[in-house]
Amino acid sequence: MFQYIIRRLLLMIPTFLGITFMVFFILQVAPDGPFERAVAQLKSANATSESGVSMSSDLIGNSSELSPDILEDLRMQYGLDKPIIIRYLIWLGVFPKEYKRETAVIGKHFRETVDFVQINENSKKQLQKYILVESEVDKNNNISYNIIESGAGLKYSLPDVSRLQTDENFDFDKYIFFQNEYQELPSHELISTWYFSNWDLEKVNSDNTVTLVKKEFNGIFQGFLGYSEKKGKNVSTLIAERMHISIFFGFTSLILVYLICIPLGILKALKHGKRFDVLSSIIVFTGYSIPGYALGVLLLSYFGGDIFPLHGWRSPDFSELSLWGKIKDQIHHAFLPIVCYMVGSFATMTVLMKNSLMENLNQDYVRTAFAKGLSEKRVIFFHAVRNSLIPLATGIGSSIGIFLAGSYLIEKTFGIDGIGLLGFNALIDKDYSIMMGALAIQVVILLIGNLISDITYAIIDPRIRFK
Amino acid sequence: MTNKNLSESILQKRINRFKSIKRGYYSLIILISLYVLSICAPIIFNSKAIMVKYNDEYYFPLFNSIFSNKNIEAKDLGQFEIKGKKKYGQPHYRLLKKQYQKEDKGNWVIMPLYPYDPYEEVISEKDEQFTDVNGNGVWDPSENFIDENGNGIADKYKYTNFPNSQHLLGTDNQGRDVLSRLIYGFNISITFAIVCCFLSYIIGIIIGGTLGYFGGKVDLFGLRIIEIYGSIPFLFMLMILATFIKPNVYILASMYVFLTGWIGITWYVRGEFLREKSKDYVSAAVSMGQSHWNVMFRHILPNSLTPVITFAPFAIIGYISALVSLDYLGFGLQPPTPSWGELMAQGRTNLQYWHLIVSPLFSIGATLFLITFIGEAIREAFDPKVHSRLR
């Protein structure tokens, strides 16, 4: 058993890689991606700037085309200068991503600005680093280069920071001690020397300069799902913000489906061919024939507005409600979506339960149980039902996966901002970093769900032994 | 029982058994007749006249538009102006009919049974929005335009209309007739499903057959690949592709099958081949020196068709649902192709127009309901399970 689980876990790795690579590949080769959009945006910006406001000259190439330099920069920014497989490895985090590049004069400091870091309510700290490249000639006349990195934390109070951005007459020198030329390290109490530098020397240029690059492993394996430029947030944050919604809908509908379908299936099997069976079959078939989101639209048009809210996950004033009010509000908003979530698997579950029980009632062991004089109730509920639950129990893992991954159709219909809708909107916006991040999470959820399925299968059904 | 019945083949037996399950049999008949009707829809649901007699000459605008691209100009038929404006291009046949009746010069127009087609432009609908007091189909200065505010000026044309005597199921948000869009949409949905089914069966039988027949490493390796392939969210991929390929129904069907549709049937065929492979007749065929191809497709395939056939209706349900959801999200067929999903999306944005929600929902529900019945009946007929229990 243990070995089996280990083997399944190991198999998950190539599956995960296969899925993500396929999607990554398609996203990268698909036309009209983020790069093309950025180019188009720049072009239109150029066009408007020429007609009216002037822009800095290096941004404008010729009249409508972008200059090759800018295109090259853009390509680098989107990572298109590397082959797809390398881009994929960068995304995974097994290949370092180059995210900064600097041409440094040997013997001179250059400053690397790191973002403001909030310390407390009204002060921020700006982290800055000073990098000095020194060349050293040893006795064999080989030149070696040392990269020395120093850092400083500058403290600003918040009003100054905002003034920095708005006030034209702001006295920069008073607050910022550094000139544009960094011959020397600025004198400052907070400056300390880094022991190592994560700048790498790429090449030595002829004009006494060197090209430095900064690389970092930053991908899925480091827990970094990507950064969405459009939303200005990390993908992991975006997903974490929505996870509870998907978990709520996923588990609630899953539990309700099992709670309703198992008794219904048992009842249908016991009353096979009778009026109850036929009537409930009609309901079950209707549920099977109507897609959940379509039912959602119908329900919305009849009950939306006055009885149930038209869209959303909770009321805007949810946090101000009392506990009872919160529960009521949540049920109020979740009722229709959960009905739609359930419709999808309702029919299959019920029929599965019914068929499975009927098959078991046909088995010899049931005959034996009857023959030794057990009561009908005991035979059915103690022997037959238990065995017929096996296929349902094994399905629970993959159901968890499917429910948690979210249905973008239902989320779109009801305007619930869950993971499914996040992925769908990313698709529309061509926000591929979100798509890939959401995909990675969903794939992992699905794979774990399948694993749970297999394990429950092995635990529940003693006939199955995995060797 | 006659001799004829005794010697009937197993297929004949199955068909008879299927026919005896009334629910499924009638569903099949209804579905087929609806499909035939929808194929004939262009001559039943169309805004072009079937036949026009004008000045002792006969015109067949509908057939002209179907079989050749020869267009009939409005002025050729004596329709010179509508609403006081000169009419160019194609004639407006519904108004032309009224005009001829009024003129009473022996000219006539035969319209199709339901004179609205699913593509008809808003403008042409607009042309009819006046009170035709003298009923001549031509707007006279004394006649009022129908409008919302009742001020006699066509100030606001309403695209979406509830069902009324002209449009039996109302009009959609661009003034197009919902009923004819539903019928044409039915045709497209079923065509899509059939094309999908056909293609995925070809792929599924070849790949599934190969995996099941050869087994061993081929099977193990192939299954891994299919598992990976099957876990890719291909509906998303299809949406990405659909935005720049702009597919028609056949291309969309092929894309769908290639990306995801073939997987289900492949599993089935593989399992069936795996089971059949160990039977004696296969060994016999192999020992006779039959080629792999022959063994696979002449011996095993006919014997493993039962689950494949019983799977088909449920696969078709899946294909139709997929098409509807793609259209609902706006990533399916290109507008203005009539589609159920697109009507559904219109209903979502205009919740007050119940006819935009109920009519596509009913169409989807009824169609899938019929197919479910057929599927149940086929399963019952091909693979009967006797459920007996004590007490």
Side-chain angles (χ1 to χ4, degrees):
Chain A
M1 185 70 199
F2 179 71
Q3 226 182 359
Y4 172 74
I5 294 175
I6 294 291
R7 231 180 43 210
R8 290 290 314 199
L9 279 172
L10 287 178
L11 261 178
M12 277 164 69
I13 297 171
T15 316
F16 177 82
L17 294 181
I19 295 169
T20 47
F21 180 68
M22 281 283 282
V23 176
F24 193 86
F25 182 81
I26 293 175
L27 288 184
Q28 294 291 327
V29 295
D32 193 28
F35 171 68
E36 284 86 350
R37 293 215 166 174
V39 170
Q41 231 167 34
L42 268 185
K43 273 184 189 169
S44 66
N46 272 3
T48 50
S49 73
E50 266 160 32
S51 57
V53 197
S54 68
M55 273 174 85
S56 60
S57 59
D58 62 343
L59 257 173
I60 302 170
N62 34 22
S63 57
S64 67
E65 287 301 307
L66 295 172
S67 75
D69 287 358
I70 295 170
L71 274 180
E72 200 47 47
D73 276 2
L74 261 182
R75 288 179 72 83
M76 253 174 70
Q77 194 189 329
Y78 284 93
L80 294 180
D81 52 338
K82 296 181 185 67
I84 287 179
I85 182 79
I86 300 290
R87 280 181 251 161
Y88 176 67
L89 292 178
I90 290 174
W91 179 79
L92 273 184
V94 294
F95 198 87
K97 182 183 179 168
E98 170 195 325
Y99 65 99
K100 268 181 187 164
R101 177 183 282 268
E102 193 77 50
T103 312
V105 182
I106 295 170
K108 272 188 182 178
H109 281 95
F110 73 88
R111 180 172 66 160
E112 182 194 353
T113 330
V114 187
D115 283 342
F116 286 102
V117 178
Q118 188 106 27
I119 312 174
N120 55 36
E121 270 179 44
N122 45 18
S123 61
K124 278 188 174 180
K125 196 164 145 187
Q126 191 190 29
L127 293 172
Q128 296 188 330
K129 286 181 180 175
Y130 303 92
I131 292 104
L132 174 70
V133 184
E134 286 178 340
S135 57
E136 202 177 287
V137 186
D138 63 5
K139 49 192 180 243
N140 298 334
N141 234 10
N142 290 334
I143 309 172
S144 63
Y145 295 90
N146 295 327
I147 304 165
I148 303 161
E149 196 166 299
S150 324
L154 288 180
K155 216 170 148 187
Y156 294 105
S157 55
L158 206 57
D160 298 336
V161 176
S162 53
R163 272 177 69 200
L164 247 174
Q165 292 152 352
T166 52
D167 193 355
E168 280 180 24
N169 302 323
F170 185 71
D171 184 9
F172 277 87
D173 292 337
K174 196 176 161 193
Y175 291 90
I176 298 179
F177 304 88
F178 317 115
Q179 316 298 319
N180 284 328
E181 295 284 318
Y182 300 101
Q183 297 280 0
E184 297 289 325
L185 263 186
S187 61
H188 197 279
E189 51 192 86
L190 284 172
I191 284 177
S192 59
T193 308
W194 258 245
Y195 289 104
F196 60 90
S197 164
N198 44 14
W199 283 93
D200 292 323
L201 185 71
E202 195 185 62
K203 64 173 187 214
V204 181
N205 303 330
S206 53
D207 52 345
N208 199 30
T209 57
V210 286
T211 306
L212 297 176
V213 288
K214 195 167 186 177
K215 290 178 175 173
E216 201 176 52
F217 290 97
N218 207 358
I220 295 294
F221 289 163
Q222 282 79 30
F224 177 73
L225 292 176
Y227 177 79
S228 163
E229 299 271 342
K230 286 215 175 78
K231 303 225 171 194
K233 276 183 182 171
N234 273 343
V235 176
S236 46
T237 325
L238 286 169
I239 291 175
E241 280 169 0
R242 290 162 175 79
M243 201 66 198
H244 63 285
I245 299 179
S246 293
I247 288 178
F248 173 79
F249 280 114
F251 277 110
T252 316
S253 44
L254 188 70
I255 290 167
L256 284 176
V257 161
Y258 274 85
L259 278 183
I260 295 174
C261 291
I262 292 176
L264 186 63
I266 293 174
L267 214 58
K268 276 173 71 70
L270 296 182
K271 303 207 173 207
H272 177 65
K274 301 220 176 91
R275 186 182 290 167
F276 174 80
D277 183 37
V278 176
L279 284 179
S280 59
S281 280
I282 293 175
I283 299 172
V284 167
F285 280 144
T286 315
Y288 184 66
S289 313
I290 295 178
Y293 62 91
L295 182 71
V297 177
L298 183 75
L299 290 175
L300 272 181
S301 82
Y302 278 92
F303 303 117
D306 16 297
I307 304 180
F308 289 106
L310 278 174
H311 64 90
W313 149 243
R314 284 168 177 173
S315 298
D317 56 348
F318 185 78
S319 53
E320 293 155 24
L321 294 171
S322 64
L323 178 69
W324 175 236
K326 277 183 183 171
I327 295 173
K328 243 169 58 181
D329 184 68
Q330 188 67 79
I331 294 176
H332 197 212
H333 276 82
F335 183 79
L336 292 183
I338 282 187
V339 168
C340 299
Y341 266 102
M342 282 168 57
V343 160
S345 47
F346 178 72
T348 31
M349 286 284 177
T350 311
V351 172
L352 188 65
M353 183 66 215
K354 182 194 169 189
N355 289 348
S356 159
L357 181 56
M358 289 200 6
E359 214 142 283
N360 272 297
L361 286 176
N362 219 4
Q363 300 276 321
D364 285 342
Y365 74 89
V366 171
R367 190 186 302 263
T368 315
F370 274 124
K372 75 175 185 180
L374 289 180
S375 72
E376 180 164 357
K377 250 186 196 155
R378 194 171 162 80
V379 174
I380 290 171
F381 288 101
F382 193 76
H383 294 270
V385 168
R386 264 178 51 165
N387 274 318
S388 51
L389 282 176
I390 291 174
L392 268 85
T394 53
I396 203 163
S398 38
S399 304
I400 290 175
I402 290 166
F403 276 119
L404 277 191
S407 164
Y408 48 88
L409 285 160
I410 293 176
E411 285 181 6
K412 185 178 171 352
T413 304
F414 286 98
I416 301 163
D417 198 8
I419 291 184
L421 194 63
L422 178 74
F424 179 73
N425 285 339
L427 175 92
I428 292 177
D429 297 342
K430 304 268 171 183
D431 201 334
Y432 288 168
S433 50
I434 292 185
M435 280 191 73
M436 285 307 295
L439 174 84
I441 294 286
Q442 288 178 2
V443 169
V444 169
I445 291 176
L446 282 176
L447 288 177
I448 291 176
N450 287 345
L451 181 72
I452 293 174
S453 271
D454 288 347
I455 293 173
T456 27
Y457 204 37
I459 291 173
I460 289 182
D461 195 342
R463 286 170 300 184
I464 289 163
R465 287 280 168 268
F466 295 101
K467 294 206 176 92
Chain B
M1 196 173 272
T2 61
N3 279 338
K4 191 175 162 246
N5 274 348
L6 277 176
S7 66
E8 69 188 355
S9 72
I10 185 156
L11 182 69
Q12 192 62 46
K13 266 186 191 146
R14 282 168 173 172
I15 290 174
N16 285 344
R17 211 181 298 144
F18 176 74
K19 279 184 182 167
S20 74
I21 305 169
K22 291 283 174 270
R23 205 163 66 166
Y25 182 56
Y26 288 127
S27 298
L28 184 68
I29 290 177
I30 295 173
L31 197 72
I32 289 177
S33 31
L34 277 177
Y35 188 55
V36 171
L37 179 82
S38 75
I39 291 173
C40 305
I43 54 170
I44 303 172
F45 298 85
N46 211 319
S47 58
K48 290 196 179 70
I50 296 177
M51 199 171 169
V52 178
K53 188 194 167 206
Y54 178 65
N55 290 351
D56 293 330
E57 267 189 74
Y58 295 97
Y59 298 89
F60 302 90
L62 177 59
F63 299 103
N64 275 350
S65 71
I66 294 176
F67 297 114
S68 67
N69 281 329
K70 209 186 103 198
N71 280 325
I72 296 167
E73 297 271 314
K75 58 179 191 298
D76 298 337
L77 296 178
Q79 190 173 40
F80 299 110
E81 59 176 28
I82 288 179
K83 262 176 20 181
K85 280 186 204 148
K86 224 171 154 104
K87 174 75 181 166
Y88 295 104
Q90 302 234 3
H92 192 299
Y93 292 102
R94 291 194 297 272
L95 288 179
L96 191 67
K97 189 175 180 179
K98 282 187 184 171
Q99 189 186 325
Y100 285 176
Q101 277 166 2
K102 177 73 184 170
E103 286 169 0
D104 200 17
K105 289 177 189 165
N107 301 327
W108 41 257
V109 177
I110 298 177
M111 290 302 286
L113 204 60
Y114 191 77
Y116 298 95
D117 74 28
Y119 303 102
E120 193 166 353
E121 282 175 20
V122 180
I123 306 296
S124 79
E125 270 288 283
K126 223 171 171 174
D127 288 343
E128 283 177 88
Q129 304 288 311
F130 58 88
T131 51
D132 202 4
V133 179
N134 49 20
N136 61 357
V138 179
W139 174 77
D140 295 327
S142 60
E143 284 168 344
N144 288 333
F145 288 110
I146 295 170
D147 58 86
E148 273 198 328
N149 302 332
N151 55 5
I153 307 161
D155 49 358
K156 193 180 171 198
Y157 174 68
K158 212 165 133 212
Y159 299 108
T160 319
N161 289 302
F162 283 112
N164 52 40
S165 54
Q166 271 120 34
H167 299 281
L168 293 183
L169 287 176
T171 53
D172 73 355
N173 69 357
Q174 294 183 44
R176 300 172 298 202
D177 185 77
V178 171
L179 178 63
S180 51
R181 281 186 83 74
L182 282 182
I183 301 281
Y184 280 65
F186 175 81
N187 185 10
I188 286 171
S189 302
I190 300 285
T191 311
F192 177 83
I194 290 173
V195 173
C196 272
C197 210
F198 182 71
L199 290 176
S200 62
Y201 269 52
I202 292 177
I203 300 180
I205 284 173
I206 291 175
I207 295 181
T210 314
L211 293 186
Y213 178 72
F214 291 105
K217 284 216 172 89
V218 178
D219 189 36
L220 196 76
F221 195 66
L223 279 191
R224 266 295 77 65
I225 293 178
I226 293 179
E227 204 176 285
I228 293 175
Y229 200 87
S231 314
I232 298 175
F234 266 125
L235 217 53
F236 266 18
M237 298 297 102
L238 191 61
M239 291 178 200
I240 292 174
L241 293 176
T243 48
F244 60 86
I245 291 183
K246 308 213 182 303
N248 63 19
V249 63
Y250 299 103
I251 294 175
L252 191 72
S254 332
M255 272 160 61
Y256 182 72
V257 168
F258 178 71
L259 290 177
T260 169
W262 60 276
I263 293 169
I265 189 63
T266 306
W267 284 110
Y268 263 75
V269 176
R270 174 208 163 249
E272 213 43 38
F273 267 58
L274 214 56
R275 196 174 323 153
E276 290 291 317
K277 195 179 81 173
S278 54
K279 295 212 171 140
D280 286 343
Y281 72 89
V282 179
S283 320
V286 172
S287 65
M288 279 166 67
Q290 297 266 318
S291 68
H292 285 316
W293 181 267
N294 263 352
V295 176
M296 277 166 72
F297 295 110
R298 289 194 51 190
H299 296 275
I300 300 183
L301 182 62
N303 283 299
S304 53
L305 273 182
T306 307
V308 175
I309 290 171
T310 50
F311 181 70
F314 301 97
I316 284 183
I317 288 179
Y319 299 139
I320 294 179
S321 310
L323 178 69
V324 174
S325 24
L326 276 174
D327 282 338
Y328 176 71
L329 295 172
F331 286 98
L333 300 164
Q334 291 305 300
T337 316
S339 84
W340 293 345
E342 193 235 332
L343 268 179
M344 201 65 132
Q346 285 185 20
R348 174 65 189 94
T349 39
N350 308 299
L351 282 175
Q352 72 275 23
Y353 294 119
W354 55 267
H355 68 285
L356 289 183
I357 300 162
V358 175
S359 40
L361 187 75
F362 179 77
S363 319
I364 300 165
T367 310
L368 299 192
F369 209 80
L370 290 177
I371 300 174
T372 314
F373 276 160
I374 297 170
E376 287 289 308
I378 290 181
R379 182 174 282 172
E380 195 75 27
F382 276 61
D383 191 16
K385 275 191 187 129
V386 183
H387 289 293
S388 64
R389 73 183 178 96
L390 290 159
R391 298 187 208 184

